[in-house]
Amino acid sequence: MIRTSISVGAIALFLAGCVSGRPEPAPAPQAGVAKQIRRDGGQLVLPDGTRVTPDVTGGFQLPNGDYVRRDRGGALILPTGARCAATPAGYTCP
């Protein structure tokens, strides 16, 4: 009887240690929110609120002097090389 109680107690402790010792999975980092370039009539509104007017090719000059060009697929190519995909409301940038 005593052996049975000790055996059951040891098994219970072993199982409790296995269950409570599992580490919690780390939360996955959330991706940043995509930036939007919105169309407003004949102008584009940049994420910081700056308004620019596209030229005949669809590209435009940024306030700092850099040029954003438009590729054949209709996307904007930023000076950093990032590609902003065309959407019905404007462009979505990484």
Side-chain angles (χ1 to χ4, degrees):
M1 178 81 146
I2 294 177
R3 266 191 238 170
T4 306
S5 297
I6 292 174
S7 297
V8 170
I11 291 172
L13 285 174
F14 176 75
L15 290 176
C18 291
V19 172
S20 65
R22 284 192 351 210
E24 293 289 322
Q30 293 181 347
V33 176
K35 296 181 181 176
Q36 301 291 320
I37 297 176
R38 294 180 293 111
R39 285 192 178 96
D40 186 17
Q43 292 188 322
L44 296 174
V45 181
L46 303 181
D48 67 356
T50 304
R51 292 178 173 274
V52 294
T53 303
D55 58 23
V56 295
T57 66
F60 56 89
Q61 190 96 19
L62 292 172
N64 68 0
D66 289 338
Y67 186 76
V68 175
R69 66 183 179 86
R70 190 167 171 207
D71 71 7
R72 290 182 182 178
L76 296 177
I77 307 299
L78 302 179
T80 61
R83 186 175 188 271
C84 299
T87 65
Y91 300 90
T92 300
C93 301

